Amino acid sequence: MKPMFIGGRWLAARDGRSLPVVSPADGLTFDHIARGGAHEVDLAVAAARAALDGPWGRMTATERGRILMKIGQQVLDHHEELAQIEARDTGKPLTTARNDITVMARYFEFYGSAADKLHGQTIPFVAGHQVSLVREPLGVTAHIVPWNYPAQTLSRSVAPALAMGNATVLKPAEDTSLSALRFAELATAAGLPEGALNIVTGLGEEAGAALAAHPGIDFISFTGSNEVGALVQQAAARHAVKCTLELGGKSPQIVFDDVDAARAVPIIVRAIIQNAGQTCTAGSRLLVQRSFQHEFVARVAEAFSKVRAGTPEMDLDCGPVMNPAQLQRVQRYVQGAREAGIPVLAEGRIAEGAPAGGYYVQPVMFGPVPRDAALAREEVFGPVLAVLPFDDEADAITLANGTDYGLLAAVWTENSGRLHRVAKAVKAGQVFMNCYGAGGGVELPFGGTRRSGHGREKGLLAMEEMSSTKTLVHYHG
Ligand code: NAD
């Protein structure tokens, strides 16, 4: 049984309760984690507060940055071990898990080197006064993250908070806490003082809800579903603390008839298949100009039909989905689309030898999908691609903006005027032009508009989110 990490010590739940850790690849339990709750959240928040009053709170930005960079190096030194843990916990292919751990290290390198680079300002004011704007940590920050990219979202959320000098309490997803727990050991070995990072494992409705509602926290970074995001925002409002919400998406790939198809097709397939479609930024809607849809869609379908799902060790295009609830959710959407008579354009395969108890889904591409169908508007969070034709530029924009979400979009055309017009008109936190989600994007501010959430993570903007400003007004005569 893996204990929690609070105040630099390893702790079982007070009542001894635990949760099973199940491998999505075969459905078998292979470990247990502590089932923390309100009591452990109290301890973690107190430990974080003590860290702010102790060595961590007294460190300079440069010293904090140095520790963060050492954490990044620790992650690289244990890269394969962490990738194996992540692959087993999530079921994702080993190559994907290895990439996730590289990105994890990158977050600590990036924010480690940025820790002393977010400078203040001076502000011209009335005569005889000197005014400066300084940046300060918020205090104790809470981080609630989902199961799809556990190592990446942990790092994305915690690294900028630490860089700004906050003390953190992390609640990993109950399905995937193992990489976070191993990470805590590596962060300690890198010299992170006790209490700067605390990890409470457990159920969302217990540990997560207790953390979001805790009066001792000063900020919440939440990544997850819209339903829980709304609860977290309500909890934050009760204490008037700020929160960032990184929620769902239904991201469009907008393809015009002058696209460089050879370049676009593999990227478009990967954008929905990666992580078995369980990516908030999955390119789950393929919008294609009607005049050439048959030709282009046939090429995507051909590539899509070659997709294979298998175990982490098989290392194919994707793994299983996360848990039985996710499996049922995806199956419900697929069955609904079939019953509605929406044509299947292509199907991938579940690899031979994939264990029968694993949560595998056959990847499927539907189209043309009616604009009012669930598949056209709702986030499936599985390897399901919806193809929708559009007539012209104006219609493409209407269709792209036709869901409640606004997280990511891509525009594909060789016409640079059209590229920029459409990119400007699409409602999304990030728009990629003739590429998609390129390179992990640790440096690139990221976040939603509309129902995809608010606030920005990644890049230097995350450090602004996770800090506050103080205006100092000095009368010197
Ligand atoms: P989820 O909302 O069920 O869980 C996310 C986290 O919230 C988990 O740690 C969970 O334990 C916790 N939680 C659950 N109930 C809670 C409660 N009542 N109070 C406080 N915390 C609670 O989401 P999920 O199913 O793990 O993840 C899938 C969703 O996350 C998808 O909608 C996906 O789009 C979204 N997501 C968004 C991003 C992004 O950056 N925008 C990234 C990854 C996933």
Side-chain angles (χ1 to χ4, degrees):
M1 207 274 297
K2 299 271 188 305
M4 289 169 279
F5 185 70
I6 297 175
R9 279 178 285 280
W10 295 94
L11 220 75
R14 179 170 63 169
D15 53 16
R17 289 193 301 176
S18 66
L19 294 168
V21 182
V22 177
S23 160
D26 56 21
L28 300 176
T29 298
F30 67 94
D31 208 338
H32 286 81
I33 53 167
R35 180 171 164 180
H39 172 68
E40 288 76 20
V41 166
D42 275 345
L43 296 178
V45 173
R49 185 62 61 192
L52 293 172
D53 297 332
W56 176 245
R58 288 193 290 274
M59 273 185 196
T60 63
T62 308
E63 289 167 332
R64 290 196 304 270
R66 201 170 283 141
I67 290 178
L68 261 64
M69 283 190 275
K70 284 188 186 157
I71 293 176
Q73 189 57 50
Q74 281 283 331
V75 170
L76 290 178
D77 291 346
H78 296 82
H79 187 275
E80 184 59 21
E81 181 200 348
L82 285 166
Q84 296 280 348
I85 291 172
E86 192 78 333
R88 186 153 197 216
D89 217 9
T90 60
K92 64 178 70 186
L94 267 166
T95 298
T96 312
R98 288 185 183 117
N99 179 57
D100 289 0
I101 303 304
T102 303
V103 177
M104 180 184 220
R106 184 79 192 100
Y107 275 113
F108 285 91
E109 291 166 351
F110 179 84
Y111 288 110
S113 62
D116 55 5
K117 313 250 171 353
L118 205 63
H119 301 155
Q121 296 171 9
T122 57
I123 300 171
F125 192 50
V126 292
H129 294 75
Q130 167 75 29
V131 180
S132 49
L133 191 72
V134 294
R135 255 188 201 280
E136 297 188 333
L138 290 162
V140 176
T141 54
H143 306 263
I144 302 175
V145 299
W147 42 254
N148 54 348
Y149 291 91
Q152 278 203 42
T153 44
L154 171 172
S155 313
R156 180 177 98 189
S157 186
V158 163
L162 291 175
M164 283 311 309
N166 299 288
T168 62
V169 180
L170 171 74
K171 213 301 276 172
E174 44 271 51
D175 284 320
T176 55
S177 297
L178 299 186
S179 56
L181 295 171
R182 180 68 182 112
F183 171 78
E185 292 177 313
L186 301 177
T188 305
L192 188 68
E194 65 178 43
L197 168 70
N198 304 277
I199 302 179
V200 181
T201 55
L203 296 175
E205 56 271 35
E206 294 175 0
L211 179 57
H214 201 287
I217 61 166
D218 302 296
F219 169 80
I220 309 173
S221 156
F222 174 81
T223 305
S225 61
N226 286 61
E227 298 71 27
V228 178
L231 295 175
V232 166
Q233 185 157 342
Q234 282 169 21
R238 263 179 235 120
H239 302 289
V241 301
K242 179 166 118 169
C243 68
T244 55
L245 299 182
E246 300 285 358
L247 309 176
K250 189 75 185 174
S251 300
Q253 302 266 11
I254 309 163
V255 181
F256 288 92
D257 60 6
D258 59 350
V259 63
D260 175 354
R263 179 177 153 67
V265 169
I267 296 176
I268 285 171
V269 172
R270 188 160 181 276
I272 180 62
I273 291 303
Q274 178 179 306
N275 217 41
Q278 302 168 120
T279 306
C280 53
T281 54
S284 53
R285 289 188 296 151
L286 174 54
L287 316 187
V288 192
Q289 194 159 13
R290 202 181 299 278
S291 53
F292 93 130
Q293 59 162 325
H294 297 299
E295 177 194 332
F296 185 76
V297 167
R299 288 179 75 163
V300 176
E302 192 195 345
F304 196 97
S305 64
K306 297 191 178 118
V307 163
R308 298 285 178 273
T311 64
E313 295 72 27
M314 290 175 183
D315 209 14
L316 303 171
D317 304 292
C318 63
V321 296
M322 189 62 223
N323 52 35
Q326 192 61 26
L327 182 63
Q328 282 160 19
R329 175 190 167 97
V330 179
Q331 286 170 341
R332 223 176 24 248
Y333 276 104
V334 171
Q335 201 180 330
R338 286 186 197 276
E339 283 170 9
I342 302 175
V344 171
L345 295 167
E347 286 176 292
R349 292 274 169 274
I350 298 168
E352 257 179 57
Y359 312 133
Y360 298 94
V361 176
Q362 187 174 14
V364 53
M365 174 175 167
F366 286 100
V369 175
R371 293 185 180 199
D372 60 352
L375 216 52
R377 292 178 293 102
E378 295 172 19
E379 183 183 52
V380 177
F381 225 51
V384 182
L385 180 60
V387 178
L388 294 99
F390 64 84
D391 295 317
D392 53 21
E393 198 175 306
D395 192 33
I397 293 164
T398 305
L399 190 52
N401 291 337
T403 74
D404 292 338
Y405 293 109
L407 193 55
L408 223 86
V411 192
W412 299 88
T413 171
E414 293 297 298
N415 176 329
S416 63
R418 182 155 65 185
L419 199 58
H420 285 275
R421 279 195 303 276
V422 177
K424 207 169 161 191
V426 166
K427 296 189 193 322
Q430 286 186 337
V431 180
F432 287 85
M433 296 184 259
N434 291 329
C435 58
Y436 198 84
V442 167
E443 308 83 350
L444 311 178
F446 170 81
T449 61
R450 306 157 110 195
R451 300 290 176 272
S452 290
H454 54 74
R456 290 294 175 261
E457 293 194 340
K458 301 190 178 184
L460 295 178
L461 286 189
M463 290 170 64
E464 292 185 17
E465 287 284 3
M466 297 187 195
S467 61
S468 69
T469 58
K470 181 183 278 171
T471 308
L472 298 174
V473 184
H474 178 197
Y475 174 71
H476 52 66

